[in-house]
Amino acid sequence: MRRLILYIATSLDGYIARPNGDTSWLHDERYSLEGEDFGYGALLQSIDTTLMGYKTYQVILGFDMPFPYPDKTNYVLSRSPHADTAHVRFVRDDATIFVQNLKRQQGKNIWLIGGGQINTLLLKAGLIDEFIITYEPVILGDGIPLFAQGTPEKQLHVLESRSFRNGFVQLWMQP
């Protein structure tokens, strides 16, 4: 069965974006390390599918660049109807049932890009198989949380941790 991997960065206080959805703090040049991609290239090699919420999709479209995953099958979960694009299929079905079925299909792993509401829904359903969380040395004070309020307690097993010269700390975990 395919694995659903949540690969995401968060602030020290657990936010994945500012309240308005802004993620520019993730791309602060002070934190770049030449030749280091923090496992992103390996992740992309291990997947053939992405999954994200509509707000996350809107953030990606705002990056002023071509859609970054044209060689993947990309699903956007949305409550509202949208027309599919050349690179994205919109899904209005029940997200947990959709993901259960998606995981049963043949293929490589699936990257859960986010956001917080989708992360929470799929965590509650027990559908996230691996967590790769990168903590960045910034405190936002407010924003969109990695997991929405009301998320149940969940113990995770740390497989590996890694710290980087720029202050990033990355954890690989499984339920």
Short mmCIF file of all heavy atoms in Angstrom, two decimals, residues 54 57-58 61 74-78 80-85 88-93:
data_model
loop_
_atom_site.label_atom_id
_atom_site.label_comp_id
_atom_site.label_asym_id
_atom_site.label_seq_id
_atom_site.Cartn_x
_atom_site.Cartn_y
_atom_site.Cartn_z
N TYR A 54 -7.36 23.52 -0.69
CA TYR A 54 -7.52 24.60 -1.67
C TYR A 54 -6.73 25.85 -1.29
O TYR A 54 -6.12 26.49 -2.15
CB TYR A 54 -9.01 24.95 -1.84
CG TYR A 54 -9.24 25.97 -2.92
CD1 TYR A 54 -9.12 25.61 -4.26
CD2 TYR A 54 -9.54 27.28 -2.61
CE1 TYR A 54 -9.31 26.54 -5.27
CE2 TYR A 54 -9.73 28.22 -3.62
CZ TYR A 54 -9.61 27.85 -4.94
OH TYR A 54 -9.79 28.78 -5.94
N TYR A 57 -3.19 25.33 -2.17
CA TYR A 57 -3.07 25.43 -3.62
C TYR A 57 -3.00 26.90 -4.04
O TYR A 57 -2.16 27.27 -4.88
CB TYR A 57 -4.25 24.73 -4.29
CG TYR A 57 -4.35 24.90 -5.77
CD1 TYR A 57 -3.39 24.36 -6.63
CD2 TYR A 57 -5.43 25.57 -6.35
CE1 TYR A 57 -3.48 24.50 -8.00
CE2 TYR A 57 -5.54 25.71 -7.72
CZ TYR A 57 -4.56 25.18 -8.54
OH TYR A 57 -4.66 25.32 -9.91
N GLN A 58 -3.83 27.74 -3.45
CA GLN A 58 -3.82 29.18 -3.77
C GLN A 58 -2.47 29.80 -3.41
O GLN A 58 -1.97 30.65 -4.15
CB GLN A 58 -4.95 29.90 -3.03
CG GLN A 58 -6.34 29.54 -3.53
CD GLN A 58 -6.55 29.96 -4.97
OE1 GLN A 58 -6.53 29.14 -5.87
NE2 GLN A 58 -6.75 31.22 -5.20
N LEU A 61 0.01 28.85 -6.10
CA LEU A 61 -0.21 29.63 -7.32
C LEU A 61 0.34 31.05 -7.19
O LEU A 61 0.71 31.66 -8.19
CB LEU A 61 -1.70 29.70 -7.65
CG LEU A 61 -2.35 28.40 -8.13
CD1 LEU A 61 -3.82 28.65 -8.45
CD2 LEU A 61 -1.62 27.82 -9.33
N ASN A 74 -1.68 15.55 -9.15
CA ASN A 74 -1.94 16.51 -8.08
C ASN A 74 -3.42 16.61 -7.79
O ASN A 74 -4.22 16.87 -8.70
CB ASN A 74 -1.40 17.89 -8.50
CG ASN A 74 0.07 17.84 -8.83
OD1 ASN A 74 0.91 17.75 -7.96
ND2 ASN A 74 0.39 17.87 -10.12
N TYR A 75 -3.77 16.43 -6.53
CA TYR A 75 -5.16 16.54 -6.09
C TYR A 75 -5.29 17.70 -5.12
O TYR A 75 -4.47 17.85 -4.20
CB TYR A 75 -5.61 15.25 -5.39
CG TYR A 75 -5.62 14.05 -6.28
CD1 TYR A 75 -4.61 13.10 -6.22
CD2 TYR A 75 -6.65 13.85 -7.21
CE1 TYR A 75 -4.62 11.98 -7.03
CE2 TYR A 75 -6.66 12.74 -8.03
CZ TYR A 75 -5.65 11.81 -7.94
OH TYR A 75 -5.66 10.70 -8.75
N VAL A 76 -6.34 18.48 -5.32
CA VAL A 76 -6.67 19.58 -4.40
C VAL A 76 -8.04 19.27 -3.81
O VAL A 76 -9.02 19.11 -4.55
CB VAL A 76 -6.69 20.94 -5.13
CG1 VAL A 76 -7.18 22.03 -4.20
CG2 VAL A 76 -5.29 21.27 -5.67
N LEU A 77 -8.08 19.16 -2.49
CA LEU A 77 -9.34 18.91 -1.79
C LEU A 77 -10.04 20.24 -1.56
O LEU A 77 -9.44 21.19 -1.08
CB LEU A 77 -9.07 18.22 -0.45
CG LEU A 77 -8.34 16.87 -0.56
CD1 LEU A 77 -7.94 16.37 0.82
CD2 LEU A 77 -9.19 15.85 -1.27
N SER A 78 -11.30 20.31 -1.95
CA SER A 78 -12.05 21.56 -1.84
C SER A 78 -13.52 21.25 -1.60
O SER A 78 -14.06 20.28 -2.12
CB SER A 78 -11.89 22.38 -3.14
OG SER A 78 -12.66 23.56 -3.07
N SER A 80 -15.77 23.45 -2.53
CA SER A 80 -16.44 24.13 -3.63
C SER A 80 -16.04 23.52 -4.96
O SER A 80 -14.93 23.00 -5.10
CB SER A 80 -16.07 25.62 -3.64
OG SER A 80 -16.37 26.21 -2.41
N PRO A 81 -16.92 23.60 -5.95
CA PRO A 81 -16.56 23.05 -7.26
C PRO A 81 -15.55 23.94 -7.98
O PRO A 81 -15.63 25.17 -7.91
CB PRO A 81 -17.90 23.01 -8.00
CG PRO A 81 -18.75 24.03 -7.33
CD PRO A 81 -18.29 24.11 -5.90
N HIS A 82 -14.60 23.32 -8.64
CA HIS A 82 -13.60 24.01 -9.46
C HIS A 82 -13.34 23.14 -10.67
O HIS A 82 -13.40 21.92 -10.60
CB HIS A 82 -12.28 24.21 -8.69
CG HIS A 82 -12.41 25.01 -7.45
ND1 HIS A 82 -12.47 26.39 -7.43
CD2 HIS A 82 -12.51 24.63 -6.15
CE1 HIS A 82 -12.59 26.81 -6.19
NE2 HIS A 82 -12.62 25.76 -5.39
N ALA A 83 -13.00 23.78 -11.77
CA ALA A 83 -12.67 23.04 -12.99
C ALA A 83 -11.23 22.55 -12.89
O ALA A 83 -10.34 23.29 -12.47
CB ALA A 83 -12.83 23.94 -14.20
N ASP A 84 -11.01 21.28 -13.24
CA ASP A 84 -9.66 20.73 -13.26
C ASP A 84 -8.80 21.57 -14.19
O ASP A 84 -9.29 22.20 -15.14
CB ASP A 84 -9.67 19.28 -13.74
CG ASP A 84 -10.33 18.34 -12.74
OD1 ASP A 84 -10.60 18.75 -11.59
OD2 ASP A 84 -10.59 17.18 -13.11
N THR A 85 -7.49 21.57 -13.91
CA THR A 85 -6.53 22.28 -14.76
C THR A 85 -5.62 21.26 -15.42
O THR A 85 -5.78 20.05 -15.23
CB THR A 85 -5.68 23.27 -13.93
OG1 THR A 85 -4.78 22.52 -13.11
CG2 THR A 85 -6.55 24.17 -13.07
N VAL A 88 -3.86 19.82 -12.19
CA VAL A 88 -4.55 19.60 -10.91
C VAL A 88 -5.94 19.03 -11.13
O VAL A 88 -6.69 19.50 -12.00
CB VAL A 88 -4.66 20.93 -10.11
CG1 VAL A 88 -5.51 20.77 -8.89
CG2 VAL A 88 -3.27 21.42 -9.73
N ARG A 89 -6.26 18.05 -10.30
CA ARG A 89 -7.62 17.51 -10.24
C ARG A 89 -8.22 17.94 -8.92
O ARG A 89 -7.63 17.72 -7.86
CB ARG A 89 -7.61 15.99 -10.34
CG ARG A 89 -7.07 15.49 -11.65
CD ARG A 89 -7.06 13.98 -11.68
NE ARG A 89 -6.20 13.55 -12.76
CZ ARG A 89 -5.70 12.35 -12.86
NH1 ARG A 89 -5.98 11.43 -11.96
NH2 ARG A 89 -4.92 12.03 -13.86
N PHE A 90 -9.40 18.54 -8.96
CA PHE A 90 -10.09 18.99 -7.75
C PHE A 90 -11.02 17.89 -7.25
O PHE A 90 -11.71 17.25 -8.04
CB PHE A 90 -10.87 20.28 -8.02
CG PHE A 90 -9.96 21.46 -8.26
CD1 PHE A 90 -9.54 21.77 -9.54
CD2 PHE A 90 -9.52 22.22 -7.20
CE1 PHE A 90 -8.69 22.83 -9.77
CE2 PHE A 90 -8.67 23.30 -7.41
CZ PHE A 90 -8.25 23.60 -8.70
N VAL A 91 -11.01 17.69 -5.95
CA VAL A 91 -11.77 16.61 -5.33
C VAL A 91 -12.74 17.20 -4.31
O VAL A 91 -12.31 17.89 -3.39
CB VAL A 91 -10.83 15.60 -4.62
CG1 VAL A 91 -11.61 14.51 -3.93
CG2 VAL A 91 -9.84 15.03 -5.62
N ARG A 92 -14.03 16.91 -4.49
CA ARG A 92 -15.04 17.35 -3.52
C ARG A 92 -15.56 16.18 -2.70
O ARG A 92 -16.35 16.37 -1.79
CB ARG A 92 -16.21 18.01 -4.26
CG ARG A 92 -15.82 19.36 -4.86
CD ARG A 92 -17.00 20.07 -5.47
NE ARG A 92 -18.02 20.33 -4.45
CZ ARG A 92 -19.30 20.53 -4.72
NH1 ARG A 92 -19.73 20.48 -5.96
NH2 ARG A 92 -20.16 20.77 -3.76
N ASP A 93 -15.10 14.97 -3.01
CA ASP A 93 -15.53 13.78 -2.29
C ASP A 93 -15.09 13.86 -0.83
O ASP A 93 -14.23 14.67 -0.47
CB ASP A 93 -14.92 12.53 -2.92
CG ASP A 93 -15.27 12.36 -4.38
OD1 ASP A 93 -16.29 12.93 -4.81
OD2 ASP A 93 -14.53 11.66 -5.09
#
